[in-house]
Amino acid sequence: MDVDLPHLKHALPLGGFCQDMKIAFAAIIGTLACAAGAAALPNEQSQLPIKEFMGHVMQRNAEQLWQWTALETDVHGERSGKPVTEEDWENAESDALTLQQLSYALEHSAYRIADVEWDKHLIAFREAASASADAAERKDFVALQSAGDRINAQCVACHLTFAPDIEAPPPPLPEGF
């Protein structure tokens, strides 16, 4: 769509001007369309109470990840959940990335607690989940175990800060310790 304005032909080169105007017009229309689409989306928060979210979503996904580093010993011997196949390692990485992404739900939703300690726990949790994903991607079992332990430590630390009643008190130490 070229504009023919005879009285301006000598004043400025219309070819570039018209192209720039087309691009600007398309950008404006695109921006308005995106804004209208975003305004049409419902601005709802999850109706799942935080206790349910933590128990059914966070805990379940953490347990899936920890299964990859579980070591069991019983009368039948020792068993390990260590990833072996490429698919196992991929699943371990996916479990870690799920936890990492769930941390954003705790940061940007109805679950967020406006407290600097909440933010510190979330950052440390996310870093541990990211380290776990990196370890799985590298197929580094020792690092996967270490990152899994860090995830657990962050969960417990956050619980002790914000929901101490859900953490069992530690057992008493034997005498002499």
Side-chain angles (χ1 to χ4, degrees), residues 52-118:
E52 296 286 314
F53 179 82
M54 290 296 194
H56 292 288
V57 180
M58 293 297 288
Q59 182 70 28
R60 178 170 174 77
N61 282 282
E63 286 175 2
Q64 284 178 214
L65 177 62
W66 292 326
Q67 286 297 315
W68 296 112
T69 60
L71 298 173
E72 292 183 33
T73 304
D74 60 17
V75 295
H76 302 291
E78 188 173 283
R79 290 179 302 287
S80 169
K82 179 180 180 178
V84 177
T85 66
E86 190 67 34
E87 183 180 7
D88 290 347
W89 284 107
E90 187 73 23
N91 286 333
E93 181 181 8
S94 294
D95 292 338
L97 288 172
T98 299
L99 287 176
Q100 176 203 60
Q101 293 303 303
L102 284 171
S103 73
Y104 290 103
L106 292 171
E107 183 177 37
H108 298 293
S109 72
Y111 302 126
R112 186 176 190 290
I113 296 174
D115 186 305
V116 69
E117 290 302 312
W118 181 262

Side-chain angles (χ1 to χ4, degrees), residues 41-54:
L41 293 174
N43 189 13
E44 296 180 12
Q45 295 287 336
S46 175
Q47 299 302 311
L48 191 64
I50 191 167
K51 192 171 186 176
E52 296 286 314
F53 179 82
M54 290 296 194

